[in-house]
Amino acid sequence: MSFWGLAQLVISTVIFLLAAIAAKQWGLAPSLGKIVLTLALYTAGNLMMLRLVREFGMSVSFSLSAVIQLVAVNAVALVFFGERVNALQATGIVLAIGAVALITLGPYLQGRL
């Protein structure tokens, strides 16, 4: 992955994270401005993803984005919004991260084993 590709992935993750925060804020106190901001951020994030799909392919781009967003959104939800998950939910999150990591790294590891 090139430096520019990694930078685009980071930028799209930040945009999606801001969109998730805006969505949470809308959920706490709905307003037209908050929903417009949320939709605008999700649109911008998806436009960035189109560039990543073109550069790295759909499977790699969406898999990497999914695992990074999963970790980032859960960290924000737990740390900043004080949300809690039970043991079963935490296990599901860990398994989801592992699954996406295997999907993403699988082709690279298969050739090396």
Side-chain angles (χ1 to χ4, degrees):
M1 179 176 284
S2 67
F3 173 76
W4 179 238
L6 181 61
Q8 289 178 63
L9 184 61
V10 169
I11 291 167
S12 72
T13 301
V14 169
I15 292 170
F16 280 122
L17 190 56
L18 291 172
I21 291 169
K24 175 68 174 182
Q25 292 301 321
W26 177 85
L28 294 172
S31 72
L32 180 61
K34 289 177 185 175
I35 195 70
V36 169
L37 175 62
T38 301
L39 292 171
L41 287 167
Y42 276 121
T43 299
N46 281 309
L47 289 172
M48 284 292 288
M49 286 304 299
L50 292 175
R51 293 185 54 80
L52 289 167
V53 167
R54 185 173 52 199
E55 187 169 343
F56 301 112
M58 189 170 83
S59 64
V60 171
S61 297
F62 282 108
S63 295
L64 284 174
S65 179
V67 74
I68 292 169
Q69 285 181 53
L70 178 65
V71 171
V73 167
N74 277 288
V76 168
L78 296 171
V79 173
F80 294 106
F81 290 108
E83 294 185 5
R84 300 284 176 242
V85 295
N86 63 36
L88 189 58
Q89 292 169 322
T91 301
I93 292 168
V94 170
L95 288 172
I97 292 168
V100 174
L102 287 173
I103 291 167
T104 304
L105 298 174
Y108 303 107
L109 295 175
Q110 188 174 11
R112 296 178 185 203
L113 296 177

